[in-house]
Amino acid sequence: MKVYERLAAAFKAEGVTHTFGMMGDANMHWMNALGELGGVRMLEVRHEGVALGMADGWARETRTPGVCTTTCGPGLTQLASALMVASRASSPIVTFCGEHPMRDQDYHQKFDQAAFAAACEAGFVRVATPEYADEAVRKAFYLAKLESRPIILSAPIDIQEATIDDDDSYVPSATLLPSHRLLHADLQTLEEAASIIFSAKRPVIVVGCGAIASGAGEAVQALGKRIGALIATSLRAKNWMADKDYHAGVSGLYATKTAIEYFEEADVVIAVGASMNRYTTEHGYLYPNARYIHLDQKAHVLMGMGRSADCYLQTDARVGIEALDALLAKRGFSNTGYRDGNVLERLANQYEDNGTLIIEPGTMDPRLLCRALDEVVPENVGLVLGSGAHAGFSVMNFTRPRSFVHATHFFGCIGQMFPAAMGMIQATGNKPLMLIDGDASTMMHLSDFDTAVRYKMPLLLVVFNDQALGAEYQKMVAQNMNAALSAIPTPDIGYVARALGGRGVMATTVDEVRAAAAEWVKNPGPMIIDARISRKAISLKHRRLLYGKDE
């Protein structure tokens, strides 16, 4: 058998069911062999970076390695931004990448792929010899799972075309990883955490993706009730358990004014599966008088501003919270804390934004646009929020709990959540999904709306279109610069969507958006709503950052 056949068989033996990529001469034999094996759906894209973005979306949703493929040289260099975003998002990904023939050092697409991987914060494994094929694949998947980051599996063309014996069965990477055992916090550290809670009057629990992954929801609610805590989330856990009482929303710059006031009074913060980076703590300003108890599976997590928690428990989130709650119950401890009628009433109205915004003729108030979409699109539809100026509105005005919510600010990179959303759709068995993104972000990969159309993805992409690089526009206005330089007219993106075979509309009123979204809900499919919003409307985030205002 050829090495590329063995490599393809190894990927299938790893449990791969979907791959995302673009074919070139350095990966076409592997793709053909994988196709002949059957059982693996291969989705072709229009841009290699989109392939990795889809694998990133798959990994974020399933927490298992996403798989993409590209050819050598320029095929690989197209992945740069997507690799960085996936690495910062801790997404396990294996990228099968062809490489120039080792025997041809003058090959026109020769490129130092190992150095490129390192620059993009990705791991690198080369299929150095035919005999190394199995081990290379196994190592790539092992590292992706262990290190939670992208791994580039680089296969030189001449090595792929060599012949190899296939006498032995492939041994998958799962055999290298220990069986999953739930980590339990030691009793002494639990006692230390309990002692801190005993002396606290105003506790806040901040939950992150680790809490979601461990299924810690009920345990968090039980502990919160016992100690009288507010429940807040990291940005990545946005809207999780938002339908429960005393939910304070996102902890960080996107916190509401009401929540910030309560956070400033907190005397203990219990972080559950959340990194508590500088954004979650708003550079250390949110909880000025609080001590920290931190629960995470990692041996230790350094919080934002180089601070360590006062008490760190290495534990599974659910198991750790249950043990802490049991210890407090055993000692008969309970506390009212924040839990009274006045706090509950204020939190119920915390998302009201009464700031007066300038709404230009023929455009919408982005706040009303968010609320209309949040109302019309059912809760069982997943929500993905891109980054950019619109996030100042979308993160704070989509408040309903949903089947999942993914927000991104990784690497400060726009344009990456459209590919990720398509990957998430594949990961969830083609379930409907709504993506909120900006016009500049959408235009970056608009050609791959054709991919959503070809594979009949039930994607609703709502473009918050201010016809500008919105964040730069707001900053330039605040600094008395020529903001017109950041204004970029866009075509009717809804028309482009129709030209690519999907559905699309351009909307200038909230009622038009409501009607279009309702149509999509009745018949989900690839659709773009080009929603024209006021360029002069300033989100609460930018009012805070640029003008020091919190209204």
Side-chain angles (χ1 to χ4, degrees), residues 81 247 307 361 401 534:
S81 292
H247 191 280
R307 179 176 177 180
S534 177

Side-chain angles (χ1 to χ4, degrees), residues 115-126:
F116 175 81
C120 294
E121 301 180 2
F124 184 82
V125 177
R126 176 177 285 122

Side-chain angles (χ1 to χ4, degrees), residues 227-307:
I227 67 177
L230 297 181
I231 310 295
T233 75
S234 67
L235 179 59
R236 294 191 71 182
K238 175 178 163 55
N239 289 11
W240 188 45
M241 301 188 293
D243 54 341
K244 307 297 184 182
D245 289 343
Y246 300 99
H247 191 280
V250 172
S251 173
L253 179 61
Y254 295 108
T256 65
K257 184 177 181 180
T258 299
I260 289 174
E261 291 174 357
Y262 287 133
F263 294 162
E264 289 176 344
E265 299 172 358
D267 49 12
V268 64
V269 175
I270 304 170
V272 187
S275 67
M276 300 306 290
N277 58 49
R278 63 179 182 170
Y279 302 108
T280 306
T281 64
E282 188 45 24
H283 302 268
Y285 291 114
L286 275 190
Y287 307 100
N289 303 308
R291 301 179 71 187
Y292 285 86
I293 298 169
H294 202 164
L295 294 83
D296 200 282
Q297 290 207 55
K298 296 179 181 178
H300 191 264
V301 176
L302 198 63
M303 302 191 305
M305 313 306 291
R307 179 176 177 180

